[in-house]
Each structure stands twice: as structure tokens, then as C-alpha cells.
């Protein structure tokens, strides 16, 4: 469908200098909007006083036009009699925010009510339990450092290297995001230098864990897609992955978001690093981490109560919900949790599944991947998800079948759909010159 370019500032607007000389500076933004929305024009006024800078200016456009995006960022214009312009607020994501409105007093009251509403459901952990988790992770981190030093000595590394060899435990998942619930497990990653092999992790480190009195239910799953050691450390369940970096030592301030760390790594190490890298990137791309965490707690509880929180069954998992909430936070950077929960449903009730949501610009891939093939995979997978949702609704509501029968239909359909995807990709590869 063709798109029209609509200017948000119309002639004769009170914000134009010829009509209004009250010291308002005026920003002109262009919007891509469907013609059916019927938007003739609107304007955005930013008062020069810093305390009144943040006002809502795109909410009417969102309500009227679900399929839109901002073409260019704000361009502040100095008003008559003023020599200074307000520095533009940093915007997160690939588009400008929908609204920069600051929270009102009623929003703060609603946020407090939201917290009180969530407490009975056990989404918040007591401070004592939180400190216990930190203590356990500290013990595990010391075990890793001690184990790596022992491996270094057994391989006759210089003493200067052994003293600074390092090694570290990183966390990811709900614990790293700060949205874990009472009794939740911890996803951890053991990062080791280049002279420590994966086989060492599943042999000597496994045996070292066996000797710890606090460790129970220890088991290694080395053949998994992402190899992992599972254990219960002093009553807390922990899943530990392993990644060996191409570094001689592991510094304490290591940033796993650095793409250069992925060079010359084993594919299993890259998979193990993905969890930490994605989690850290999400936290880096949201304007306010506290607002993001409270909003995500509320959305995760809603999804679980509606039985649509399950990666295994084909619904969205924890990372997917976190990405959607993060995108909402980017669109409303100054909003607090009560507003963000409302805007979450407003934005994604108008979102079409084929439109891929991005939290940041895509960088050049390290590996040479066929872009056309990757796009085809995304589109075909989206088709499978859409068909799966339609099949679920048909099975559950039209046929009024039981859950077990419905799951059988879903699994059969899912397997058949992926078989068709495989044939389609095979055809593309064979016919590509």
C-alpha cells in the first residue's frame, strides 16, 4: 500500500513565530502514515524551560495510525530572541520516541498500586534471599578462578600468567535482567582463557563441584545443543554454561558485548555467549532499567496467568517478552511502569507479526551469511507462527477439543511446516547461481 508523507506542523499553527512569539521553540517532524488514517497535520511544541520540555506529541498519531514510523529525528530551531537551543534528548532504538511526556502524579500513584498488586504473586524476592544468591555466586566464582589456576599449573604456564589468569562467572536470563521470582534458578556462564578446554570443564571442574558439600543433584549434559552443567548449590538451582575466549587472561572488567571476542571461537562457545550478550544488550538499550524491570515483571506475570509464557510450547519465552517490553520503553523513554504496561498493550495490539521489531541497528555480520536466505527464513518462520496461532484457536475454540488433542495437532502442524521450510530453503540454495 502506498505511503504518504505528512508534515506534523500545518500552516497557521500557534507555534509558528508569525503567530506565537511567547518563546516556544518549534520542532518539525515528518511522519509516514497510511492515507486512511485521515491525519491532516499536527504540531509539536517544546517549551524552552527545561522543566516543561517533555510533553506528549505523537499519541494522537499512534491512536489514529497503527502503521507508522518517524522519518527523521527532532530538529530544534532557535526561536526569535534566543541564541541557545535545547540539546536533543538521546533516543533509544532505531526510531525516535513516540512520546517524551514526563510522568504525572497520578502515574506515580498507579505505579505504587501496581507494585502492591504484584507482591502477593511472589514476583519480588526478599532482600535476605537476594543476598544469599549473591553469596552463592561469589563462592562459585571463586571455585572457577581456583580451578582455572589449577589447569594453568598443570599445563606449565608461566607463573606471571597463572597469577593473573582470571576466569569469571557471568549471569544472564531473568536473574541478570533483575526480574527473577522467588525460588527461580540462575543461568550462569563460566568464561575461561584459551588454554582451558571444554573437556576440562566437563571433567576436572565437574569433579571439583562434586567435592563441595553445598552441591547437590549434579549432572552434566555435554551432548545438548548448548552444553551445560546443572546443579543445586545450597538450595539454589544453577545452570552453568562454558565459553573459552581467545584470550590469555580473563580481566574482571570484561565486556561480553564486544564483537571482537567472537572471532575464531567454536560455535558452541558462541551459543553459550549469546545469553549473556543478549541480556546485557537489552539492559544497555533501555532508557531506565528500574522502570523496565517493573514493567517486565508485570507483563511476565500476565503472560504466565494467561498460559502463553512458554518457549517449549511455541509461545514467547523470557527473552522475547523482555525484547518487547524494552521496545516499549524505547518508545516512551520518560514513562514509568504503570504507563509502560498500558502502552505495551496499545503498541503491540496494533503490531503485525511480519514486521520485525528491532531494538538497535543491525551491524555487519562476522560470518558471511546470505542476506536473502536469512530474510526468507524470517518470513517463512513468521508464516509458521501465524498459521500455528490460527490452528491453536481453531483447535481450542472451534472444535472444542481437549488440550492434549490440541497439542497433538499443533505439533504435527509445526513439524510439517518446518519440513516445508526445509524444502523451500533447499530449493533456493540449489537454484541460486
Amino acid at each position: 500500500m502506498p505511503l504518504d508523507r505528512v508534515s506534523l506542523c500545518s500552516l497557521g499553527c500557534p507555534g509558528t513565530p508569525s503567530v506565537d512569539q511567547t518563546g516556544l521553540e518549534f520542532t518539525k517532524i515528518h511522519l509516514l502514515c497510511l492515507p486512511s488514517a485521515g491525519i491532516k497535520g499536527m504540531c509539536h511544541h517544546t517549551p524552552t524551560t527545561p522543566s516543561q520540555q517533555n510533553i506528549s506529541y505523537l499519541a494522537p498519531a499512534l491512536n489514529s495510525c497503527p502503521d507508522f514510523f518517524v522519518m527523521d529525528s527532532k530538529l530544534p530551531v532557535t526561536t526569535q530572541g534566543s541564541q541557545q537551543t535545547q540539546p536533543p534528548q538521546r533516543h533509544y532504538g532505531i526510531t525516535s520516541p513516540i512520546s517524551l511526556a514526563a510522568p504525572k502524579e497520578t502515574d506515580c500513584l498507579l505505579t505504587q498500586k501496581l507494585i502492591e498488586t504484584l507482591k502477593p504473586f511472589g514476583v519480588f524476592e526478599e532482600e535476605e534471599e537476594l543476598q544469599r544468591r549473591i553469596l552463592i555466586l561469589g563462592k562459585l566464582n571463586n571455585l572457577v578462578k581456583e580451578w582455572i589456576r589449577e589447569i594453568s599449573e598443570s599445563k606449565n604456564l608461566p607463573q606471571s600468567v597463572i597469577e593473573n589468569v582470571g576466569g569469571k562467572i557471568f549471569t544472564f536470563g531473568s536473574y541478570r535482567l533483575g526480574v527473577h521470582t522467588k525460588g527461580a534458578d540462575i543461568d550462569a556462564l563460566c568464561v575461561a582463557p584459551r588454554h582451558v578446554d571444554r573437556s576440562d570443564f566437563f571433567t576436572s571442574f565437574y569433579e571439583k563441584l562434586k567435592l563441595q558439600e553445598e552441591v547437590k543433584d549434579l549432572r552434566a549434559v555435554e551432548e545438548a545443543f548448548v552444553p551445560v552443567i546443572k546443579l543445586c548449590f545450597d538450595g539454589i538451582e544453577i545452570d552453568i554454561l562454558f565459553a573459552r575466549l581467545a584470550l590469555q587472561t580473563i580481566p574482571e572488567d570484561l565486556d561480553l558485548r564486544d564483537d571482537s571476542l567472537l572471532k575464531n571461537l567454536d560455535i558452541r562457545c558462541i551459543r553459550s555467549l549469546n545469553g549473556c550478550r543478549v541480556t546485557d544488550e537489552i539492559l544497555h538499550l533501555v532508557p531506565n532499567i528500574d522502570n523496565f524491570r517493573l514493567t517486565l515483571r508485570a507483563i511476565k506475570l500476565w503472560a504466565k496467568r494467561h498460559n502463553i509464557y512458554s518457549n517449549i510450547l511455541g509461545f514467547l519465552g523470557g527473552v522475547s517478552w523482555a525484547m518487547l517490553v524494552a521496545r516499549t520503553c524505547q518508545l516512551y523513554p520518560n514513562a514509568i511502569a504503570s504507563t509502560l504496561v498500558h502502552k505495551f498493550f496499545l503498541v503491540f495490539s496494533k503490531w503485525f507479526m511480519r514486521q520485525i521489531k528491532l531494538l538497535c541497528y543491525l551491524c555487519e555480520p562476522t560470518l558471511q551469511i546470505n542476506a536473502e536466505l536469512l530474510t526468507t527464513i524470517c518470513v517463512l518462520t513468521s508464516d509458521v507462527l501465524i498459521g500455528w496461532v490460527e490452528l491453536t484457536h481453531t483447535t481450542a475454540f472451534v472444535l472444542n477439543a481437549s488440550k492434549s488433542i490440541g497439542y497433538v495437532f499443533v505439533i504435527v502442524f509445526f513439524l510439517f511446516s518446518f519440513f516445508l521450510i526445509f524444502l523451500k530453503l533447499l530449493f533456493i540454495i540449489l537454484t541460486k547461481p
Side-chain angles (χ1 to χ4, degrees):
M1 184 178 294
L3 298 173
D4 288 345
R5 183 175 164 118
V6 181
S7 173
L8 291 189
C9 185
S10 56
L11 187 62
C13 164
T16 56
S18 60
V19 178
D20 186 359
Q21 302 291 343
T22 59
L24 292 175
E25 67 177 359
F26 130 79
T27 301
K28 188 172 183 179
I29 298 178
H30 291 85
L31 185 77
L32 280 179
C33 182
L34 292 174
S36 58
I39 299 179
K40 300 298 182 182
M42 56 188 297
C43 65
H44 164 220
H45 297 146
T46 305
T48 55
T49 54
S51 61
Q52 301 176 356
Q53 268 189 347
N54 302 321
I55 66 172
S56 177
Y57 62 96
L58 281 182
L62 177 62
N63 294 331
S64 303
C65 179
D67 300 308
F68 75 92
F69 58 92
V70 178
M71 281 291 291
D72 50 296
S73 59
K74 295 184 291 181
L75 305 172
V77 180
T78 305
T79 57
Q80 185 176 1
S82 172
Q83 298 299 324
Q84 295 182 350
T85 60
Q86 296 293 336
Q89 179 176 342
R90 175 191 172 187
H91 75 261
Y92 295 77
I94 62 174
T95 64
S96 296
I98 292 174
S99 173
L100 295 173
K104 301 177 183 177
E105 185 177 353
T106 54
D107 298 327
C108 297
L109 294 175
L110 289 173
T111 299
Q112 190 59 39
K113 288 183 178 180
L114 176 64
I115 295 174
E116 297 300 324
T117 303
L118 293 176
K119 282 182 178 179
F121 294 95
V123 299
F124 299 105
E125 193 172 43
E126 300 293 338
E127 183 64 26
E128 181 181 350
E129 185 68 18
L130 183 59
Q131 293 300 323
R132 181 162 162 262
R133 288 177 181 266
I134 295 175
L135 181 62
I136 289 173
L137 287 172
K139 291 181 179 178
L140 192 59
N141 193 55
N142 291 333
L143 280 176
V144 167
K145 292 179 183 293
E146 183 181 328
W147 166 66
I148 292 178
R149 282 197 297 269
E150 293 172 357
I151 293 293
S152 303
E153 291 173 354
S154 66
K155 296 187 177 182
N156 300 320
L157 266 67
Q159 190 62 33
S160 58
V161 175
I162 294 176
E163 291 176 355
N164 302 298
V165 71
K168 191 174 181 181
I169 285 287
F170 292 85
T171 58
F172 61 98
S174 60
Y175 179 80
R176 178 69 180 93
L177 288 173
V179 295
H180 61 284
T181 56
K182 293 180 181 178
D185 64 348
I186 298 177
D187 296 311
L189 170 68
C190 172
V191 176
R194 62 193 178 198
H195 60 272
V196 180
D197 298 325
R198 183 174 296 274
S199 59
D200 297 325
F201 177 72
F202 284 100
T203 53
S204 58
F205 185 65
Y206 181 85
E207 293 300 325
K208 192 175 187 65
L209 289 173
K210 262 187 179 180
L211 301 176
Q212 308 304 312
E213 295 181 357
E214 304 95 333
V215 174
K216 308 293 182 183
D217 301 328
L218 181 65
R219 57 198 185 278
V221 190
E222 194 171 356
E223 297 79 16
F225 184 73
V226 182
V228 60
I229 289 180
K230 295 177 175 286
L231 67 145
C232 185
F233 199 110
D234 197 14
I236 301 295
E237 293 185 3
I238 304 178
D239 295 342
I240 309 178
L241 310 182
F242 175 81
R244 180 182 66 170
L245 301 183
L247 301 174
Q248 188 176 31
T249 60
I250 303 298
E252 284 295 323
D253 58 349
L254 179 65
D255 185 2
L256 295 180
R257 294 187 299 119
D258 185 359
D259 292 336
S260 63
L261 296 176
L262 301 179
K263 292 181 180 178
N264 304 319
L265 286 192
D266 177 73
I267 185 63
R268 291 174 296 179
C269 291
I270 295 177
R271 290 172 187 159
S272 299
L273 287 168
N274 277 344
C276 290
R277 285 169 53 83
V278 169
T279 305
D280 289 348
E281 195 66 36
I282 289 175
L283 292 175
H284 182 72
L285 291 171
V286 294
N288 187 297
I289 294 179
D290 292 333
N291 290 335
F292 162 75
R293 285 172 173 166
L294 182 54
T295 306
L296 182 55
R297 288 183 189 273
I299 296 301
K300 286 180 67 174
L301 177 63
W302 169 83
K304 290 177 180 179
R305 300 281 290 183
H306 286 76
N307 298 317
I308 56 174
Y309 185 98
S310 175
N311 203 19
I312 297 176
L313 296 178
F315 295 106
L316 297 181
V319 175
S320 301
W321 289 111
M323 292 177 66
L324 295 181
V325 172
R327 184 58 184 145
T328 306
C329 293
Q330 290 179 343
L331 296 175
Y332 300 89
N334 297 324
I336 55 179
S338 59
T339 303
L340 290 171
V341 170
H342 172 255
K343 297 301 183 183
F344 175 88
F345 292 103
L346 174 64
V347 170
F348 292 107
S349 64
K350 301 175 182 294
W351 172 52
F352 186 50
M353 290 185 68
R354 293 176 188 267
Q355 296 175 345
I356 301 174
K357 287 294 177 187
L358 299 178
L359 295 180
C360 60
Y361 289 103
L362 296 177
C363 57
E364 290 295 327
T366 306
L367 303 176
Q368 295 298 322
I369 300 176
N370 190 308
E372 180 183 350
L373 191 61
L374 185 60
T375 304
T376 304
I377 294 174
C378 293
V379 173
L380 290 176
T381 305
S382 177
D383 290 339
V384 171
L385 290 175
I386 294 172
W388 173 79
V389 171
E390 293 174 351
L391 180 67
T392 303
H393 281 276
T394 302
T395 304
F397 297 105
V398 178
L399 299 179
N400 196 23
S402 65
K403 285 188 177 180
S404 58
I405 297 177
Y407 287 148
V408 171
F409 274 105
V410 168
I411 293 172
V412 172
F413 174 78
F414 215 79
L415 293 175
F416 179 70
S417 300
F418 273 105
F419 176 70
L420 293 180
I421 290 178
F422 173 76
L423 293 180
K424 177 69 175 178
L425 296 179
L426 186 63
F427 174 77
I428 293 175
I429 294 173
L430 294 177
T431 58
K432 191 171 183 62

